[in-house]
Amino acid sequence: MAKSRKVAEDLNFNNIVNLQFDRAAAQLKLPKGLLQQIRVCNSVYYVQFPVKFGNRMEIFQAWRAEHSQHRKPLKGGIRYSSMVDQDEVMALAALMTYKCAIVNVPFGGSKGGIKLRPRNYDAEHLEKITRRFTAELIKKNFIGPGINVPAPDYGTGEREMAWIADTYDAFFPGQLDNMACVTGKPVSQGGIHGRTEATGRGVVYALREVFRHADQVRGAGLSGGLEGKRVAVQGFGNVGYNTARILDEEDHAKIVAVGEWDGTVYDPKGIDIAALHRHRKRTRSITHFPGAKTLPDGKDCLEVDCDILIPAALENQITRDNAGRVKARIVAEAANGPMTPGAEEILAGKRVMVLPDIFMNSGGVTVSYFEWTKNLSHIRYGRMQKRIDESLRSSLIGATEHLVNEQFPEKVRRTLLRGVDEIDLVRSGLEEAMITAYREILDVFKRHRNVHDLRTAAFMVAIQKVAQAYMELGIFP
Ligand code: NAD
């Protein structure tokens, strides 16, 4: 008797991204060679370097992949995780190329990572490792304001970015643009207001725009806006926390579940995200949050009853094994590659709307672009115009009050008077990027009868733009 054998799903991240690329490329009338050039990763730097901790020496493995040099500098985060390998950084670098094209940010895609578990090292050790890796990147010309500009990713944040900037500055003393060698720095070190929350806020701006297109969300069985929608979030780090916080505070969505590596907290009445954040700070874990139920597995959050599921941790979380149990009507990919193609097929069969990573999490690189231009111009956004803006508003308010012979209530007056600051400009630029990107993707989706998912449409938008750059520039020599 023939046994039915289950074929294992290919979880190789690079293969998955290439498959997604091929599906989109098949819909485009572009030369084969050109498509191949867009698809391949241009170069990868692999290094093993030593770091001394007292009398002990440890060797670290690290990578920096440069996927596409069609625009310069190249841009992409640096990840600290025990799971980093060459395929992962190559896949993530490719996604960066497509992401930048989608939000019209003039960079090529790159990504890097060090294979380590940050929780196993204290700040002093992490600083040494980060500085040594930066030196390795400098040696091989894999970092520089006009060459390759890293940013935070999984396991890194503004602290690591400050160390990178300072190390670069030590190697090139006196060069004016040094601060633009990395983004995601603390505001006091050349960073920009709104970068830390940017990826999460971008996810929210994207969701708001998606819900403005009622015909699309109706297909997934939803209607109305974000208010009251039940949301589950996996990962309570930079992206997950900021997405959940903004959805909770500004959109009045109901965050019913949050998953972390050590468990899920669940409350169908909705979780107060600020309070959960304080609880995590105090206890170092989200589990056993008062009033909520603790489920044993971080992955449990993927299967709770909700309207919108936001994976914001790592790749390959929703696979063929658990996709059938996903109850959400929309999956908004805040993490890179959280879903396998097999899972996507299952969700498509259930008419679940999948909002792809290369669009959803592009808010981070968008604001990184603003930070980079700020560093090159050496002036804070809003510094020149804030007071003139306020003075013009004051004249307008005065003239209006004079005309109607009535005064605005004090609270309204204060709001109207406030001139724009850096944070307002950053949020405005981010919102514009996310709205424009979604409309471009939706337009391609609607114009191509053979395209049944937004991921393929998003890849088509990206490939078309990169192809255009190559066709205009030509190939050297
Ligand atoms: P982070 O390190 O700040 O947070 C990740 C969180 O996920 C951590 O709190 C970690 O404990 C948690 N986690 C780990 N394993 C888990 C599991 N099995 N279940 C649930 N939670 C788990 O990282 P981040 O910057 O928020 O990045 C998250 C994702 O978003 C990654 O895929 C990253 O590539 C992507 N991303 C980040 C940015 C950015 O600006 N930081 C930009 C674009 C995309």
Side-chain angles (χ1 to χ4, degrees):
M1 201 171 69
K3 274 189 190 163
S4 74
R5 225 186 277 159
K6 212 171 147 192
V7 182
E9 202 175 3
D10 182 2
L11 297 181
N12 181 293
F13 196 5
N14 205 33
N15 292 348
I16 291 175
V17 172
N18 283 335
L19 181 84
Q20 292 166 344
F21 178 97
D22 292 343
R23 279 187 187 152
Q27 300 292 330
L28 295 165
K29 291 184 183 68
L30 290 169
K32 229 175 149 188
L34 176 59
L35 285 170
Q36 185 61 8
Q37 167 55 19
I38 297 171
R39 185 187 193 257
V40 296
C41 185
N42 289 170
S43 48
V44 189
Y45 175 38
Y46 169 56
V47 59
Q48 300 186 72
F49 59 83
V51 179
K52 261 190 108 177
F53 305 126
N55 294 330
R56 186 172 64 83
M57 195 196 295
E58 206 175 321
I59 315 295
F60 293 90
Q61 289 182 291
W63 293 262
R64 185 80 180 157
E66 295 198 335
H67 174 260
S68 179
Q69 282 135 357
H70 75 287
R71 291 228 192 284
K72 282 162 277 294
L74 281 75
K75 194 86 188 75
I78 291 189
R79 175 176 282 206
Y80 287 0
S81 148
S82 53
M83 277 158 8
V84 171
D85 62 22
Q86 182 158 324
D87 274 331
E88 186 183 72
V89 293
M90 280 165 67
L92 290 163
L95 292 180
M96 283 306 301
T97 295
Y98 310 134
K99 215 175 282 188
C100 290
I102 284 171
V103 278
N104 299 306
V105 163
F107 296 140
S110 179
K111 202 82 174 195
I114 309 181
K115 199 178 187 71
L116 64 84
R117 204 158 178 252
R119 241 173 280 138
N120 293 354
Y121 299 89
D122 62 21
E124 199 184 318
H125 289 177
L126 286 169
E127 178 175 351
K128 278 187 144 187
I129 299 164
T130 306
R131 287 185 183 276
R132 175 67 194 233
F133 181 46
T134 309
E136 298 295 337
L137 293 176
I138 292 170
K139 277 197 258 175
K140 298 288 179 195
N141 226 13
F142 268 75
I143 185 171
I147 301 166
N148 192 322
V149 182
D153 191 68
Y154 187 93
T156 60
E158 57 178 37
R159 179 184 65 172
E160 286 75 13
M161 303 307 117
W163 292 331
I164 292 174
D166 186 62
T167 309
Y168 189 86
D169 193 54
F171 272 79
F172 302 101
Q175 290 196 8
L176 262 179
D177 292 336
N178 282 352
M179 278 298 165
C181 77
V182 64
T183 59
K185 302 177 292 290
V187 173
S188 50
Q189 294 300 331
I192 195 166
H193 289 94
R195 173 60 184 92
T196 306
E197 65 164 23
T199 309
R201 186 168 284 281
V203 171
V204 178
Y205 284 156
L207 279 169
R208 286 179 194 165
E209 177 60 13
V210 168
F211 273 86
R212 280 185 204 115
H213 300 259
D215 54 328
Q216 297 300 310
V217 286
R218 208 177 300 124
L222 294 176
S223 60
L226 286 167
E227 189 170 345
K229 290 284 178 302
R230 297 163 309 151
V231 180
V233 181
Q234 186 197 33
F236 203 53
N238 175 295
V239 179
Y241 161 63
N242 281 298
T243 305
R245 176 182 63 81
I246 297 166
L247 281 174
D248 181 28
E249 289 172 1
E250 297 180 17
D251 299 86
H252 309 295
K254 216 196 275 183
I255 315 299
V256 294
V258 177
E260 256 295 326
W261 65 278
D262 56 347
T264 290
V265 283
Y266 175 66
D267 184 352
K269 297 192 297 301
I271 295 165
D272 176 344
I273 293 302
L276 180 64
H277 193 245
R278 285 194 298 274
H279 170 80
R280 208 254 305 258
K281 261 196 161 160
R282 207 173 48 244
T283 66
R284 307 189 73 183
S285 171
I286 63 164
T287 59
H288 307 293
F289 177 59
K293 199 169 159 187
T294 294
L295 308 173
D297 198 317
K299 275 192 165 183
D300 288 334
C301 67
L302 303 173
E303 299 176 19
V304 301
D305 200 8
C306 66
D307 302 306
I308 305 169
L309 170 61
I310 306 179
L314 281 169
E315 52 265 25
N316 291 338
Q317 296 301 299
I318 309 173
T319 64
R320 256 188 351 213
D321 291 338
N322 59 358
R325 296 193 296 274
V326 167
K327 297 185 188 70
R329 299 309 307 156
I330 292 180
V331 179
E333 295 185 333
N336 285 306
M339 180 186 303
T340 62
E344 196 159 4
E345 233 177 89
I346 293 170
L347 294 180
K350 300 203 296 179
R351 298 178 70 84
V352 174
M353 185 182 202
V354 174
L355 301 169
D357 50 5
I358 48 171
F359 161 57
M360 288 308 285
N361 67 31
S362 56
V365 74
T366 302
V367 176
S368 272
Y369 169 51
F370 301 156
E371 181 176 332
W372 181 75
T373 57
K374 173 188 181 178
N375 292 155
L376 295 178
S377 62
H378 300 273
I379 187 163
R380 168 172 60 80
Y381 284 113
R383 181 167 176 167
M384 302 294 275
Q385 69 263 45
K386 182 170 167 151
R387 297 298 162 187
I388 185 101
D389 189 27
E390 285 184 358
S391 148
L392 285 171
R393 283 158 184 259
S394 173
S395 308
L396 266 174
I397 289 169
T400 312
E401 288 178 339
H402 181 73
L403 268 178
V404 298
N405 208 11
E406 209 175 323
Q407 289 215 325
F408 284 104
E410 194 44 38
K411 205 173 155 198
V412 177
R413 194 167 220 281
R414 249 185 283 127
T415 314
L416 288 174
L417 262 178
R418 202 176 72 84
V420 291
D421 233 325
E422 184 167 86
I423 187 73
D424 307 302
L425 292 165
V426 164
R427 287 178 179 168
S428 157
L430 173 61
E431 187 172 13
E432 160 63 14
M434 300 309 291
I435 290 176
T436 305
Y438 186 65
R439 292 186 183 170
E440 284 182 22
I441 295 167
L442 200 56
D443 179 53
V444 167
F445 178 70
K446 286 182 174 171
R447 279 194 293 111
H448 291 80
R449 281 158 147 249
N450 294 336
V451 174
H452 303 293
D453 60 292
L454 290 170
R455 188 187 314 281
T456 303
F459 264 85
M460 286 165 72
V461 169
I463 295 169
Q464 194 68 58
K465 288 183 190 176
V466 181
Q468 190 181 342
Y470 273 114
M471 289 191 288
E472 287 165 356
L473 290 168
I475 303 284
F476 176 84

